[in-house]
Amino acid sequence: MSTYQRPEQSFSIELRTALHMGSGDPEGGSDAGVVRDFNGLPGLPGPGLQGLLRSTCLEHPACGVDASKRLEFVERVFGYTGGKGRKPSDGKTDGKTDDPGRGGRVWVGWGVIHNQNNKPQSDWIRETELKRDPVLADAVRSVLRDQVKISARGAADDKAKFDQIVVNPGHRFTFTIKFATAPNDQKAWQTDWQTDWQSDWQTLLTVLRDPALRLGGKTRRGLGGFKIITEGYAQHAESKLFTRLLDRPIAPASLWMFGGGKAIDDGTKQPDSVPVSCRRIDWSGTTGIPRPVWLIPGTGIKGPLVHRTLFHANLKKGIFIGETAPPGAEEEVNRWMCQLFGGVKGNTSTIGKIVIDDHFLDQEGHHKVPSAPTQMHVKINPFTGGASDKALFSDQPLQAKAAMIPLRIEVRGQVDPDALACFESALDDLDQGRLALGAHSSRGYGRFKKGTPGTKELP
């Protein structure tokens, strides 16, 4: 019987943004719950992590200079399914006999969440102890992330209201990766596994440490961002998965808010509309503390940019309302938009290449972003000049002197230069205050000004 040497490494990660590792089952009033363990705590399934690494290796330059080399690496490391006449990437088949396939070298364990003392919680824990730990208590709670598709008229699109359960940012997880070297009995493997396993192992670690790697689902909505906190295995400063990183900081120039929040019920009259917020785990040494933060959803920024990019694309191709479009212009605009933001046509879907992260602003502490005084609004009856019946409402936006928002945009893969130019024109509109973000833009909210821009070209 063959035995294997299995070098292994445990990795601890911290979520930069919220995480949705979908379970496929409903949870907490949402149709999309998250994977949980026997304690009811969120976890990272090993097969999901392994599948993420495998799919990423198929496009990561570290795994090969072209698609065939990357496929060869993937089949060598992760294995493949056999079949009659199948020709694997290494070409070792006569095309007639059955190819038995090959098992993978990689094993990825379950990702375990950390408690408030920064220790992986892998054992069963009593419910009373679970409630006493603020970090685990936050993790076991169902956190609903509400989303809606906005039409070109600025209203909710028909049948496009959806939500999912997420794990709050700041939570930490630990998982283990094992890598099988050649078995001690070399007879059956001396031709198949003669490649230096150490080189493959280091390549796999390079892929894992790419800062553009994201966990779980809804990653194009800004979810799943993480950083490695294991000593000696920090993430690389630059990614090989995206070709451009747009750094476009913006600062509020007016009252602003991203709506959908819930006011704290303290027995007093509360505003009808407040900014959306969530909790983030902040770590001080080895102690984690959940803190409330204002949430700036990446989708709330991306949505207006999609509509404004479409405007500039139509302008560039000479498409105007009430006029006949030039031949092929509409098809070209659709291709640009699909390339940038993805789309669905029939049974075929295309993934977008623009990724915008969520951002968070403190509600407490030295860097807190304060709310503005409650703003009262009333609808005026045009005939009497007085207030209309039942039309008195209020909101409580954030102040204009909020901290700079470091808008970080990833452009993954090659994009048509004209399409990217239209997207950057939309960003210029945002910088100049011509494009509002968030709720109540018709009241003058959501205007921003340019921060300190910079575009970094990556190799």
Side-chain angles (χ1 to χ4, degrees), residues 271-283:
D272 299 305
S273 177
V274 297
V276 64
S277 62
C278 68
R279 299 176 75 85
R280 180 185 64 196
I281 310 301
D282 289 343
W283 295 90

Side-chain angles (χ1 to χ4, degrees), residues 124-262:
W124 177 77
I125 182 173
R126 298 179 184 274
E127 185 176 357
T128 54
E129 297 175 359
L130 190 65
K131 292 180 178 179
R132 283 199 297 264
D133 188 308
V135 173
L136 297 184
D138 179 87
V140 79
R141 187 183 302 117
S142 294
V143 180
L144 190 67
R145 178 65 70 87
D146 204 13
Q147 292 182 311
V148 60
K149 180 182 177 182
I150 302 299
S151 70
R153 297 183 180 272
D157 211 348
D158 184 39
K159 298 179 181 180
K161 177 73 169 61
F162 47 96
D163 51 43
Q164 61 268 332
I165 300 298
V166 299
V167 182
N168 278 330
H171 277 289
R172 291 180 173 181
F173 295 84
T174 291
F175 59 91
T176 300
I177 298 181
K178 295 182 180 180
F179 191 90
T181 65
N184 292 337
D185 179 11
Q186 293 283 334
K187 292 182 179 179
W189 303 87
Q190 59 185 355
T191 57
D192 287 348
W193 283 23
Q194 60 186 353
T195 304
D196 181 11
W197 67 267
Q198 292 182 339
S199 175
D200 288 345
W201 171 241
Q202 292 302 320
T203 299
L204 191 64
L205 295 183
T206 298
V207 173
L208 179 64
R209 296 165 67 186
D210 194 296
L213 199 65
R214 291 175 180 264
L215 298 172
K218 326 297 182 185
T219 57
R220 286 306 191 273
R221 299 176 193 168
L223 302 185
F226 69 93
K227 61 181 179 181
I228 298 176
I229 59 175
T230 303
E231 186 176 355
Y233 288 91
Q235 285 174 311
H236 298 300
E238 297 182 350
S239 171
K240 300 297 183 183
L241 285 175
F242 51 75
T243 54
R244 288 170 68 93
L245 177 62
L246 305 180
D247 180 20
R248 302 290 289 258
I250 54 177
S254 67
L255 297 177
W256 64 287
M257 63 182 291
F258 286 86
K262 295 182 179 179

Side-chain angles (χ1 to χ4, degrees), residues 2-152:
S2 300
T3 58
Y4 298 84
Q5 304 170 15
R6 287 187 180 268
E8 63 180 77
Q9 174 65 48
S10 293
F11 292 92
S12 294
I13 63 172
E14 180 179 321
L15 300 181
R16 291 190 295 105
T17 64
L19 169 71
H20 176 77
M21 187 67 76
S23 65
D25 295 323
E27 176 189 335
S30 172
D31 294 328
V34 297
V35 175
R36 297 182 181 274
D37 63 12
F38 47 82
N39 285 317
L41 296 169
L44 305 179
L49 295 173
Q50 187 169 330
L52 170 67
L53 289 173
R54 186 185 189 281
S55 61
T56 304
C57 286
L58 286 171
E59 60 182 42
H60 202 286
C63 301
V65 295
D66 53 36
S68 62
K69 292 295 183 182
R70 292 193 288 271
L71 178 60
E72 182 178 342
F73 173 84
V74 166
E75 292 190 343
R76 186 171 66 247
V77 172
F78 294 94
Y80 61 91
T81 303
K84 188 171 183 179
R86 181 189 184 281
K87 186 176 182 180
S89 56
D90 55 15
K92 295 174 181 176
T93 179
D94 57 11
K96 299 178 181 179
T97 58
D98 289 348
D99 183 351
R102 177 192 295 167
R105 295 182 173 188
V106 179
W107 178 91
V108 184
W110 177 274
V112 180
I113 199 167
H114 288 208
N115 59 25
Q116 66 172 340
N117 297 319
N118 202 25
K119 301 294 183 183
Q121 186 61 48
S122 57
D123 299 328
W124 177 77
I125 182 173
R126 298 179 184 274
E127 185 176 357
T128 54
E129 297 175 359
L130 190 65
K131 292 180 178 179
R132 283 199 297 264
D133 188 308
V135 173
L136 297 184
D138 179 87
V140 79
R141 187 183 302 117
S142 294
V143 180
L144 190 67
R145 178 65 70 87
D146 204 13
Q147 292 182 311
V148 60
K149 180 182 177 182
I150 302 299
S151 70

Side-chain angles (χ1 to χ4, degrees), residues 431-457:
D431 289 340
Q432 301 300 324
R434 295 189 293 266
L435 176 63
L437 299 178
H440 310 313
S441 59
S442 60
R443 301 176 195 166
Y445 290 4
R447 305 296 169 180
F448 289 81
K449 61 184 178 181
K450 189 176 184 179
T452 306
T455 300
K456 187 176 184 181
E457 296 283 354

